[in-house]
Short mmCIF file of all heavy atoms in Angstrom, two decimals:
data_model
loop_
_atom_site.label_atom_id
_atom_site.label_comp_id
_atom_site.label_asym_id
_atom_site.label_seq_id
_atom_site.Cartn_x
_atom_site.Cartn_y
_atom_site.Cartn_z
N PRO A 1 12.76 -2.84 -8.57
CA PRO A 1 12.74 -1.86 -7.47
C PRO A 1 12.55 -0.42 -7.91
O PRO A 1 11.86 0.36 -7.22
CB PRO A 1 14.11 -2.06 -6.80
CG PRO A 1 14.47 -3.48 -7.10
CD PRO A 1 13.93 -3.75 -8.47
N ILE A 2 13.14 -0.03 -9.03
CA ILE A 2 13.00 1.36 -9.50
C ILE A 2 11.55 1.62 -9.92
O ILE A 2 10.96 2.66 -9.58
CB ILE A 2 13.97 1.64 -10.67
CG1 ILE A 2 15.42 1.58 -10.17
CG2 ILE A 2 13.68 3.00 -11.30
CD1 ILE A 2 16.46 1.70 -11.25
N ALA A 3 10.96 0.67 -10.66
CA ALA A 3 9.56 0.83 -11.09
C ALA A 3 8.62 0.81 -9.89
O ALA A 3 7.63 1.55 -9.86
CB ALA A 3 9.20 -0.28 -12.08
N GLN A 4 8.92 -0.03 -8.90
CA GLN A 4 8.10 -0.06 -7.68
C GLN A 4 8.11 1.30 -6.98
O GLN A 4 7.05 1.82 -6.60
CB GLN A 4 8.63 -1.12 -6.71
CG GLN A 4 8.31 -2.54 -7.09
CD GLN A 4 8.78 -3.52 -6.03
OE1 GLN A 4 9.27 -3.13 -4.97
NE2 GLN A 4 8.63 -4.80 -6.31
N ALA A 5 9.30 1.86 -6.82
CA ALA A 5 9.42 3.16 -6.14
C ALA A 5 8.69 4.25 -6.91
O ALA A 5 8.00 5.09 -6.32
CB ALA A 5 10.89 3.52 -5.97
N ALA A 6 8.80 4.23 -8.26
CA ALA A 6 8.15 5.24 -9.08
C ALA A 6 6.63 5.14 -8.97
O ALA A 6 5.93 6.16 -8.82
CB ALA A 6 8.58 5.09 -10.54
N LEU A 7 6.10 3.91 -9.00
CA LEU A 7 4.66 3.74 -8.90
C LEU A 7 4.16 4.12 -7.52
O LEU A 7 3.09 4.74 -7.38
CB LEU A 7 4.27 2.30 -9.24
CG LEU A 7 2.77 2.00 -9.27
CD1 LEU A 7 2.02 2.96 -10.20
CD2 LEU A 7 2.51 0.55 -9.68
N ARG A 8 4.93 3.80 -6.47
CA ARG A 8 4.53 4.20 -5.12
C ARG A 8 4.43 5.71 -4.99
O ARG A 8 3.49 6.25 -4.41
CB ARG A 8 5.54 3.67 -4.09
CG ARG A 8 5.29 2.26 -3.63
CD ARG A 8 6.02 1.95 -2.34
NE ARG A 8 7.46 2.07 -2.49
CZ ARG A 8 8.26 1.05 -2.79
NH1 ARG A 8 7.76 -0.14 -3.02
NH2 ARG A 8 9.56 1.23 -2.86
N GLU A 9 5.41 6.42 -5.56
CA GLU A 9 5.38 7.89 -5.51
C GLU A 9 4.16 8.42 -6.25
O GLU A 9 3.50 9.35 -5.78
CB GLU A 9 6.66 8.45 -6.14
CG GLU A 9 7.90 8.26 -5.27
CD GLU A 9 9.15 8.81 -5.94
OE1 GLU A 9 9.01 9.50 -6.97
OE2 GLU A 9 10.26 8.53 -5.44
N ASP A 10 3.86 7.83 -7.39
CA ASP A 10 2.70 8.28 -8.16
C ASP A 10 1.40 8.01 -7.40
O ASP A 10 0.49 8.85 -7.39
CB ASP A 10 2.65 7.56 -9.52
CG ASP A 10 3.73 8.06 -10.47
OD1 ASP A 10 4.08 9.25 -10.41
OD2 ASP A 10 4.22 7.26 -11.29
N LEU A 11 1.30 6.85 -6.75
CA LEU A 11 0.09 6.53 -6.00
C LEU A 11 -0.09 7.48 -4.83
O LEU A 11 -1.21 7.93 -4.55
CB LEU A 11 0.16 5.09 -5.49
CG LEU A 11 0.00 3.98 -6.54
CD1 LEU A 11 0.25 2.61 -5.92
CD2 LEU A 11 -1.39 4.03 -7.16
N ALA A 12 1.00 7.80 -4.14
CA ALA A 12 0.91 8.73 -3.01
C ALA A 12 0.45 10.10 -3.47
O ALA A 12 -0.42 10.74 -2.86
CB ALA A 12 2.26 8.82 -2.31
N ALA A 13 1.02 10.58 -4.58
CA ALA A 13 0.66 11.89 -5.11
C ALA A 13 -0.77 11.92 -5.63
O ALA A 13 -1.53 12.86 -5.37
CB ALA A 13 1.63 12.30 -6.22
N LEU A 14 -1.16 10.86 -6.34
CA LEU A 14 -2.51 10.80 -6.89
C LEU A 14 -3.54 10.70 -5.77
O LEU A 14 -4.61 11.32 -5.83
CB LEU A 14 -2.65 9.60 -7.83
CG LEU A 14 -2.03 9.75 -9.22
CD1 LEU A 14 -2.01 8.41 -9.93
CD2 LEU A 14 -2.78 10.78 -10.05
N GLY A 15 -3.23 9.89 -4.74
CA GLY A 15 -4.17 9.76 -3.64
C GLY A 15 -4.45 11.09 -2.98
O GLY A 15 -5.59 11.43 -2.68
N ALA A 16 -3.39 11.88 -2.77
CA ALA A 16 -3.55 13.19 -2.14
C ALA A 16 -4.32 14.14 -3.06
O ALA A 16 -5.18 14.90 -2.63
CB ALA A 16 -2.19 13.77 -1.80
N ARG A 17 -3.99 14.08 -4.36
CA ARG A 17 -4.60 15.00 -5.32
C ARG A 17 -6.05 14.65 -5.62
O ARG A 17 -6.91 15.52 -5.72
CB ARG A 17 -3.78 14.98 -6.62
CG ARG A 17 -4.14 16.07 -7.61
CD ARG A 17 -3.32 15.94 -8.88
NE ARG A 17 -1.89 16.09 -8.62
CZ ARG A 17 -0.99 15.13 -8.82
NH1 ARG A 17 -1.35 13.95 -9.26
NH2 ARG A 17 0.29 15.35 -8.57
N GLU A 18 -6.32 13.36 -5.76
CA GLU A 18 -7.67 12.93 -6.16
C GLU A 18 -8.63 12.87 -4.98
O GLU A 18 -9.85 12.92 -5.17
CB GLU A 18 -7.59 11.54 -6.81
CG GLU A 18 -6.73 11.47 -8.07
CD GLU A 18 -7.48 11.95 -9.30
OE1 GLU A 18 -8.72 11.86 -9.31
OE2 GLU A 18 -6.83 12.41 -10.24
N GLY A 19 -8.10 12.68 -3.77
CA GLY A 19 -8.96 12.60 -2.60
C GLY A 19 -9.77 11.32 -2.53
O GLY A 19 -10.82 11.27 -1.88
N VAL A 20 -9.29 10.24 -3.17
CA VAL A 20 -10.02 8.98 -3.18
C VAL A 20 -9.60 8.12 -1.99
O VAL A 20 -8.55 8.31 -1.40
CB VAL A 20 -9.78 8.20 -4.48
CG1 VAL A 20 -10.25 8.98 -5.69
CG2 VAL A 20 -8.32 7.81 -4.64
N THR A 21 -10.46 7.17 -1.65
CA THR A 21 -10.10 6.12 -0.71
C THR A 21 -9.43 5.01 -1.50
O THR A 21 -9.94 4.59 -2.53
CB THR A 21 -11.35 5.57 0.00
OG1 THR A 21 -12.06 6.64 0.62
CG2 THR A 21 -10.97 4.53 1.05
N VAL A 22 -8.28 4.56 -1.02
CA VAL A 22 -7.54 3.50 -1.70
C VAL A 22 -7.50 2.27 -0.81
O VAL A 22 -7.08 2.35 0.35
CB VAL A 22 -6.09 3.94 -2.04
CG1 VAL A 22 -5.33 2.80 -2.73
CG2 VAL A 22 -6.10 5.19 -2.91
N PHE A 23 -7.96 1.14 -1.34
CA PHE A 23 -7.89 -0.15 -0.66
C PHE A 23 -6.82 -0.95 -1.36
O PHE A 23 -6.99 -1.38 -2.50
CB PHE A 23 -9.24 -0.87 -0.72
CG PHE A 23 -9.32 -2.11 0.15
CD1 PHE A 23 -10.01 -2.08 1.34
CD2 PHE A 23 -8.74 -3.31 -0.26
CE1 PHE A 23 -10.09 -3.23 2.14
CE2 PHE A 23 -8.83 -4.45 0.52
CZ PHE A 23 -9.51 -4.41 1.73
N LEU A 24 -5.68 -1.12 -0.70
CA LEU A 24 -4.47 -1.67 -1.31
C LEU A 24 -4.13 -2.99 -0.64
O LEU A 24 -4.04 -3.07 0.58
CB LEU A 24 -3.33 -0.67 -1.12
CG LEU A 24 -1.91 -1.10 -1.44
CD1 LEU A 24 -1.67 -1.03 -2.94
CD2 LEU A 24 -0.91 -0.20 -0.72
N THR A 25 -3.92 -4.04 -1.43
CA THR A 25 -3.40 -5.27 -0.86
C THR A 25 -1.94 -5.41 -1.24
O THR A 25 -1.53 -5.05 -2.35
CB THR A 25 -4.16 -6.52 -1.36
OG1 THR A 25 -3.85 -6.76 -2.74
CG2 THR A 25 -5.65 -6.35 -1.18
N THR A 26 -1.14 -5.93 -0.32
CA THR A 26 0.29 -6.08 -0.59
C THR A 26 0.91 -7.01 0.44
O THR A 26 0.35 -7.23 1.52
CB THR A 26 1.01 -4.72 -0.55
OG1 THR A 26 2.38 -4.88 -0.92
CG2 THR A 26 0.92 -4.08 0.82
N HIS A 27 2.06 -7.59 0.10
CA HIS A 27 2.89 -8.23 1.12
C HIS A 27 4.24 -7.52 1.19
O HIS A 27 5.20 -8.02 1.75
CB HIS A 27 3.07 -9.74 0.86
CG HIS A 27 3.60 -10.08 -0.50
ND1 HIS A 27 2.81 -10.54 -1.51
CD2 HIS A 27 4.85 -10.02 -0.99
CE1 HIS A 27 3.56 -10.76 -2.59
NE2 HIS A 27 4.80 -10.46 -2.29
N ASN A 28 4.28 -6.30 0.61
CA ASN A 28 5.48 -5.46 0.63
C ASN A 28 5.36 -4.48 1.80
O ASN A 28 4.60 -3.52 1.74
CB ASN A 28 5.60 -4.72 -0.70
CG ASN A 28 6.88 -3.92 -0.81
OD1 ASN A 28 7.31 -3.26 0.13
ND2 ASN A 28 7.50 -3.95 -1.98
N MET A 29 6.10 -4.75 2.87
CA MET A 29 5.98 -3.94 4.08
C MET A 29 6.44 -2.50 3.87
O MET A 29 5.86 -1.56 4.41
CB MET A 29 6.78 -4.56 5.23
CG MET A 29 6.33 -5.96 5.63
SD MET A 29 4.61 -6.04 6.15
CE MET A 29 3.91 -6.98 4.78
N SER A 30 7.50 -2.33 3.08
CA SER A 30 8.00 -0.99 2.82
C SER A 30 6.94 -0.16 2.09
O SER A 30 6.74 1.02 2.39
CB SER A 30 9.29 -1.07 1.98
OG SER A 30 9.71 0.21 1.59
N GLU A 31 6.27 -0.79 1.16
CA GLU A 31 5.20 -0.12 0.42
C GLU A 31 4.09 0.34 1.36
O GLU A 31 3.64 1.49 1.30
CB GLU A 31 4.64 -1.12 -0.60
CG GLU A 31 3.58 -0.59 -1.51
CD GLU A 31 3.33 -1.59 -2.64
OE1 GLU A 31 4.15 -1.60 -3.58
OE2 GLU A 31 2.37 -2.36 -2.57
N ALA A 32 3.67 -0.55 2.24
CA ALA A 32 2.60 -0.21 3.18
C ALA A 32 3.02 0.91 4.13
O ALA A 32 2.24 1.82 4.43
CB ALA A 32 2.20 -1.45 3.98
N GLU A 33 4.27 0.83 4.59
CA GLU A 33 4.76 1.83 5.53
C GLU A 33 4.78 3.23 4.91
O GLU A 33 4.50 4.22 5.57
CB GLU A 33 6.18 1.43 5.98
CG GLU A 33 6.54 1.89 7.35
CD GLU A 33 7.56 0.97 8.02
OE1 GLU A 33 8.05 0.01 7.38
OE2 GLU A 33 7.87 1.23 9.19
N LYS A 34 5.10 3.30 3.63
CA LYS A 34 5.22 4.59 2.96
C LYS A 34 3.87 5.14 2.48
O LYS A 34 3.70 6.36 2.39
CB LYS A 34 6.17 4.47 1.77
CG LYS A 34 7.61 4.24 2.19
CD LYS A 34 8.51 3.95 0.99
CE LYS A 34 9.94 3.70 1.44
NZ LYS A 34 10.82 3.28 0.34
N LEU A 35 2.92 4.26 2.18
CA LEU A 35 1.68 4.71 1.56
C LEU A 35 0.48 4.80 2.51
O LEU A 35 -0.40 5.64 2.32
CB LEU A 35 1.30 3.77 0.41
CG LEU A 35 2.06 3.89 -0.90
CD1 LEU A 35 1.61 2.81 -1.87
CD2 LEU A 35 1.84 5.26 -1.52
N CYS A 36 0.42 3.91 3.50
CA CYS A 36 -0.85 3.67 4.18
C CYS A 36 -1.02 4.47 5.47
O CYS A 36 -0.10 4.58 6.28
CB CYS A 36 -1.00 2.19 4.50
SG CYS A 36 -0.97 1.15 3.02
N GLY A 37 -2.22 5.01 5.65
CA GLY A 37 -2.59 5.66 6.90
C GLY A 37 -3.20 4.69 7.88
O GLY A 37 -3.34 4.99 9.06
N LEU A 38 -3.60 3.52 7.39
CA LEU A 38 -4.19 2.47 8.22
C LEU A 38 -3.86 1.15 7.56
O LEU A 38 -3.94 1.02 6.34
CB LEU A 38 -5.72 2.66 8.31
CG LEU A 38 -6.50 1.78 9.28
CD1 LEU A 38 -6.15 2.15 10.72
CD2 LEU A 38 -8.00 1.94 9.05
N VAL A 39 -3.46 0.16 8.37
CA VAL A 39 -3.15 -1.14 7.81
C VAL A 39 -3.86 -2.23 8.61
O VAL A 39 -4.09 -2.10 9.82
CB VAL A 39 -1.64 -1.44 7.79
CG1 VAL A 39 -0.91 -0.47 6.90
CG2 VAL A 39 -1.03 -1.43 9.19
N GLY A 40 -4.21 -3.30 7.91
CA GLY A 40 -4.73 -4.50 8.54
C GLY A 40 -3.82 -5.66 8.18
O GLY A 40 -3.33 -5.73 7.06
N VAL A 41 -3.60 -6.55 9.14
CA VAL A 41 -2.75 -7.72 8.90
C VAL A 41 -3.63 -8.96 8.92
O VAL A 41 -4.41 -9.16 9.85
CB VAL A 41 -1.64 -7.85 9.97
CG1 VAL A 41 -0.77 -9.07 9.71
CG2 VAL A 41 -0.79 -6.58 10.01
N ILE A 42 -3.49 -9.78 7.86
CA ILE A 42 -4.36 -10.94 7.71
C ILE A 42 -3.51 -12.19 7.50
O ILE A 42 -2.45 -12.14 6.87
CB ILE A 42 -5.34 -10.73 6.52
CG1 ILE A 42 -6.40 -11.80 6.50
CG2 ILE A 42 -4.62 -10.62 5.19
CD1 ILE A 42 -7.55 -11.52 5.54
N ARG A 43 -3.99 -13.29 8.05
CA ARG A 43 -3.34 -14.58 7.85
C ARG A 43 -4.41 -15.66 7.80
O ARG A 43 -5.27 -15.73 8.68
CB ARG A 43 -2.35 -14.89 8.97
CG ARG A 43 -1.60 -16.21 8.80
CD ARG A 43 -0.56 -16.39 9.92
NE ARG A 43 0.23 -17.60 9.70
CZ ARG A 43 -0.09 -18.79 10.21
NH1 ARG A 43 -1.19 -18.92 10.95
NH2 ARG A 43 0.67 -19.84 9.98
N GLN A 44 -4.38 -16.49 6.74
CA GLN A 44 -5.36 -17.56 6.56
C GLN A 44 -6.79 -17.06 6.73
O GLN A 44 -7.63 -17.70 7.37
CB GLN A 44 -5.06 -18.72 7.52
CG GLN A 44 -3.73 -19.41 7.22
CD GLN A 44 -3.43 -20.56 8.16
OE1 GLN A 44 -4.05 -20.70 9.22
NE2 GLN A 44 -2.47 -21.39 7.78
N GLY A 45 -7.05 -15.89 6.15
CA GLY A 45 -8.40 -15.35 6.16
C GLY A 45 -8.82 -14.63 7.42
O GLY A 45 -9.91 -14.06 7.49
N LYS A 46 -7.96 -14.65 8.46
CA LYS A 46 -8.31 -14.01 9.72
C LYS A 46 -7.59 -12.67 9.87
O LYS A 46 -6.38 -12.58 9.63
CB LYS A 46 -7.91 -14.90 10.91
CG LYS A 46 -8.74 -16.15 11.04
CD LYS A 46 -8.32 -16.92 12.30
CE LYS A 46 -9.17 -18.16 12.48
NZ LYS A 46 -8.77 -18.92 13.70
N LEU A 47 -8.33 -11.66 10.30
CA LEU A 47 -7.75 -10.35 10.55
C LEU A 47 -7.09 -10.37 11.93
O LEU A 47 -7.75 -10.59 12.94
CB LEU A 47 -8.83 -9.28 10.49
CG LEU A 47 -8.36 -7.83 10.52
CD1 LEU A 47 -7.54 -7.49 9.27
CD2 LEU A 47 -9.57 -6.89 10.61
N LEU A 48 -5.78 -10.13 11.96
CA LEU A 48 -5.02 -10.21 13.21
C LEU A 48 -4.88 -8.87 13.91
O LEU A 48 -4.78 -8.82 15.14
CB LEU A 48 -3.62 -10.78 12.94
CG LEU A 48 -3.54 -12.10 12.18
CD1 LEU A 48 -2.11 -12.54 12.02
CD2 LEU A 48 -4.36 -13.18 12.89
#
C-alpha cells in the first residue's frame, strides 16, 4: 500500500508536468478515482 500510494502520487505529478496522455488499466478503484479524469468500465471485453 505505501509503494502504491507513492507511485500514484508520482504518476499524478508527472502527468501534470509532462502534459502526456495516460492510458491506464487497473482494477484498483481508489487508484482510478485519484488519478483519472475519464474512466471506462469493461467486463468480458464489453465497454459498459
